[in-house]
Amino acid sequence: MSARELQRTAIRMLHDPSFLSAVMCNPEVALQGLDLSEAEKAMLLKTDARAWRVDEHRSWRVLTTLLAEFAVTVAATRQPPHAFDAFFRTPFFHDAIRTRRSLSAAFSDYLSSGYTDRRMTAMLALERAFARVRRGERAVAVAVPEGALSAWEAAARVLRRDDPVAALLRGARPAINLGRGDEHVLVEPAGASLIDKALYDVLALAETGASRDQLLACIVEGGATAAEAVEVLADLNREGLAELRRSGAATD
Amino acid sequence: MEKQLPSGPFVTRVRGLPKLGLGVSTEYGAHRQTGALDPFVLAERFPAFAGFLEVGVEVAKGLDADAARWAGEGRPTTYHFLDINLDEPEDFDDAWLARVDATAAQLKPAWMCGDAGLWHFGPREPGSMLLLPPILTDEAASEQAAGIVRLRERTGLEVLPENPPGQVFLGDLHILDFFARVAERADTGLLVDCAHLAIYQRVTGLPWDAALELVPFERVVELHVAGGSERHHDGFPWVDDDHTGAVLEETWALAETFMSKAPNLKAVVYECERNGLDAVVPGFERLSALWATHVGA
């Protein structure tokens, strides 16, 4: 038995009417696998099902924050905002609640799972990076189609003239035009900028926890001499970009 | 960095807390909403009703200009947290604690307080904010108490848990029993929200004064009184804790009961920040009369 599991089950019931209904009508199946005692299950079942739904706008309030954070991505899907309420009925939402995971991360995974459109995936890659930096990461490097960053900036300006969710509800769907090639973007708290592929390759490799030698080799592969590579890596580490400490490698 | 608290049990420490009287609550941007109460106008026209300002704080937002001005003028405050799940040790991250320290340094509150429930699910981030009651079990009471002690030792401030509102309550304890256990295990005081308690008694089908014999009245330091709107959903009656002017009669009855029985009561907040001055004066006058009768100077 677990008060924490009971609390998280309650959150799921508050946000997903289908789960609420399943718990009330078929509890043995709906609550299967959860760390709940029979007494705790009984606590859920003795409540009035209507009491769980008095706040009819609860899920929408949560969703508006998620839509605002991924506004350009959502616009790129060409779906109406209310369609994304389906998120609360997916394992992405339920697993996030059960594991205390970020809802923003779960929502971005949900977006990623449902759409393969090149424009949408490009915007999602950027907005995921912005979300990560907003939550304290030093910087995130992403590879996207050519023109993605400028397309995102233009779209964001359109959507954020006032409230982005209000803009989405009005049907704002800014054009997103991409080139055939690739570009590489570094997202930092101060903003996003284009970087060359060589730098992207190093940063992407660093994020995997690569060793110092592997990073130096990557920098050399990008055109630097061995001596230059050592300096470059030292600079990146001083700026907090190379995450060498995470790899356990020695730092300069 | 942990601060020094006065030593000794709570019944000793409480003597050192100031008697603040009647006050009003706020949170970020509250007083800039159309028709909202201006605490400075209240303080100027009815100083006895604005003995202190209870500031609702999400550290991510910080203090608004009104709260900063109030504190800057040296007026009394209390710090009401809006962003900590007391029963989740992982919620006490260094960044949050540092901002709490900074905010408390600016507010110089008489104490900290806040609803002892679930303020957000998952990591603290936009969109996850909600307020759910705790699970009312003995196990959960111990977890809440541990968090209170953690926060008190960090801030050097008394931390008064408040009973949250809700429409669904889970657990095998009455909410007053639950908070009595929390208070004892944390050796702390209590903030009793009379409006929230009235809602609880209604939702659970109990009389307004059920289980009052379980209350450790000597630990009750602060009360909240607020209006609420009676609503129905598919025939299910419920009360929306919307802080409108209409205070339930059960809420008034509870407020009077607690004022008459709590020997260490120091403060009462009338949560009416969304209402204009003329609308809130009658409520303050009623509270003032109760205070004069039962608590006094």
Side-chain angles (χ1 to χ4, degrees):
Chain A
M1 62 180 286
S2 163
R4 189 103 26 127
E5 184 81 282
L6 187 56
Q7 186 74 282
R8 290 173 182 175
T9 303
I11 293 168
R12 296 164 61 195
M13 291 169 70
L14 283 167
H15 290 83
D16 180 1
S18 66
F19 183 66
L20 169 64
S21 178
V23 171
M24 291 302 186
C25 298
N26 198 355
E28 287 308 312
V29 172
L31 302 176
Q32 192 174 24
L34 299 184
D35 181 22
L36 293 174
S37 66
E38 291 307 312
E40 288 171 328
K41 292 178 185 176
M43 290 174 191
L44 293 170
L45 297 177
K46 79 174 185 181
T47 59
D48 190 318
R50 297 171 299 172
W52 296 87
R53 302 194 312 265
V54 300
D55 185 351
E56 295 171 299
H57 305 292
R58 184 188 297 275
S59 299
W60 174 248
R61 286 196 300 276
V62 176
L63 187 60
T64 55
T65 305
L66 299 171
L67 294 174
E69 187 155 41
F70 294 94
V72 177
T73 305
V74 169
T77 66
R78 298 294 191 258
Q79 296 296 312
H82 284 283
F84 295 92
D85 188 70
F87 166 66
F88 296 101
R89 297 187 286 280
T90 69
F92 295 100
F93 169 74
H94 287 273
D95 288 348
I97 298 301
R98 292 199 64 196
T99 59
R100 202 181 182 271
R101 188 176 177 232
S102 160
L103 267 197
S104 172
F107 186 68
S108 71
D109 286 347
Y110 163 71
L111 291 172
S112 173
S113 73
Y115 302 93
T116 56
D117 176 85
R118 188 166 174 259
R119 287 166 295 187
M120 178 266 175
T121 55
M123 297 302 101
L124 180 59
L126 286 170
E127 292 191 313
R128 266 177 156 160
F130 288 126
R132 289 172 57 186
V133 167
R134 210 173 283 129
R135 284 160 178 79
E137 290 195 44
R138 166 62 185 84
V140 178
V142 290
V144 289
E146 184 181 9
L149 179 59
S150 58
W152 181 86
E153 288 169 339
R157 275 194 297 274
V158 169
L159 293 174
R160 291 176 185 178
R161 277 195 199 117
D162 53 68
D163 173 54
V165 177
L168 289 170
L169 287 168
R170 284 196 304 269
R173 300 289 185 268
I176 295 170
N177 298 312
L178 305 177
R180 292 181 184 279
D182 297 326
E183 66 185 23
H184 304 88
V185 178
L186 183 64
V187 176
E188 299 176 273
S193 54
L194 295 175
I195 56 175
D196 61 37
K197 186 176 184 303
L199 176 57
Y200 168 79
D201 286 343
V202 176
L203 297 178
L205 186 62
E207 193 167 336
T208 68
S211 68
R212 183 170 183 269
D213 286 346
Q214 288 172 317
L215 292 171
L216 288 172
C218 182
I219 297 170
V220 167
E221 203 172 315
T225 66
E228 288 168 341
V230 170
E231 278 189 38
V232 167
L233 192 55
D235 285 342
L236 290 176
N237 192 41
R238 270 191 293 274
E239 291 178 46
L241 293 175
E243 295 284 330
L244 288 178
R245 278 171 295 175
R246 185 169 67 190
S247 73
T251 60
D252 285 12
Chain B
M1 183 188 304
E2 296 186 351
K3 315 285 193 301
Q4 287 299 315
L5 270 167
S7 60
F10 178 76
V11 290
T12 303
R13 301 196 315 265
V14 71
R15 295 180 206 147
L17 295 179
K19 204 168 209 177
L20 301 177
L22 302 186
V24 68
S25 53
T26 185
E27 53 189 60
Y28 195 95
H31 299 121
R32 301 289 165 167
Q33 303 303 310
T34 304
L37 182 68
D38 185 327
F40 295 96
V41 171
L42 180 71
E44 184 181 331
R45 292 188 50 190
F46 301 95
F49 300 165
F52 69 103
L53 185 66
E54 179 145 296
V55 183
V57 180
E58 280 182 83
V59 299
K61 292 182 178 176
L63 301 181
D64 65 14
D66 293 316
R69 177 188 160 196
W70 183 283
E73 292 178 0
R75 299 176 189 251
T77 67
T78 53
Y79 180 133
H80 185 296
F81 54 75
L82 302 174
D83 55 2
I84 181 70
N85 297 337
L86 292 169
D87 61 341
E88 293 185 355
E90 60 270 46
D91 214 30
F92 288 74
D93 58 86
D94 289 342
W96 181 81
L97 287 167
R99 295 184 77 167
V100 167
D101 286 341
T103 306
Q106 191 176 357
L107 279 179
K108 298 183 177 55
W111 55 76
M112 287 187 83
C113 56
D115 299 71
L118 193 75
W119 278 104
H120 50 264
F121 44 84
R124 188 180 292 109
E125 58 181 9
S128 69
M129 186 175 175
L130 77 172
L131 179 56
L132 292 183
I135 301 298
L136 301 176
T137 61
D138 189 74
E139 170 200 2
S142 292
E143 292 178 344
Q144 292 283 346
I148 289 168
V149 172
R150 191 178 297 123
L151 189 55
R152 182 173 70 222
E153 290 179 348
R154 167 64 186 227
T155 62
L157 296 167
E158 294 294 344
V159 178
L160 310 179
E162 174 185 351
N163 50 307
Q167 306 306 325
V168 177
F169 292 88
L170 302 171
D172 53 7
L173 299 178
H174 188 282
I175 200 166
L176 291 175
D177 187 1
F178 176 85
F179 276 96
R181 297 180 191 210
V182 171
E184 182 192 357
R185 292 170 194 180
D187 191 27
T188 188
L190 287 169
L191 188 176
V192 176
D193 190 306
C194 299
H196 296 171
L197 180 55
I199 290 172
Y200 172 85
Q201 305 283 44
R202 276 199 184 190
V203 162
T204 53
L206 294 170
W208 67 269
D209 56 354
L212 287 182
E213 71 279 5
L214 299 175
V215 176
F217 286 102
E218 72 283 1
R219 293 186 181 274
V220 177
V221 173
E222 182 179 340
L223 301 180
H224 281 182
V225 171
S229 298
E230 294 175 288
R231 304 190 193 285
H232 289 80
H233 178 82
D234 285 347
F236 176 80
W238 64 289
V239 178
D240 188 353
D241 182 44
D242 57 10
H243 296 187
T244 61
V247 177
L248 301 179
E249 278 309 310
E250 301 106 288
T251 301
W252 285 121
L254 285 165
E256 180 162 15
T257 301
F258 278 94
M259 282 198 224
S260 68
K261 290 177 177 289
N264 295 312
L265 186 66
K266 306 284 186 179
V268 177
V269 171
Y270 184 21
E271 295 185 297
C272 56
E273 66 279 1
R274 299 172 193 171
N275 308 278
L277 183 61
D278 291 343
V280 307
V281 167
F284 270 116
E285 288 174 337
R286 188 168 176 177
L287 277 172
S288 183
L290 288 173
W291 181 275
T293 300
H294 298 293
V295 185

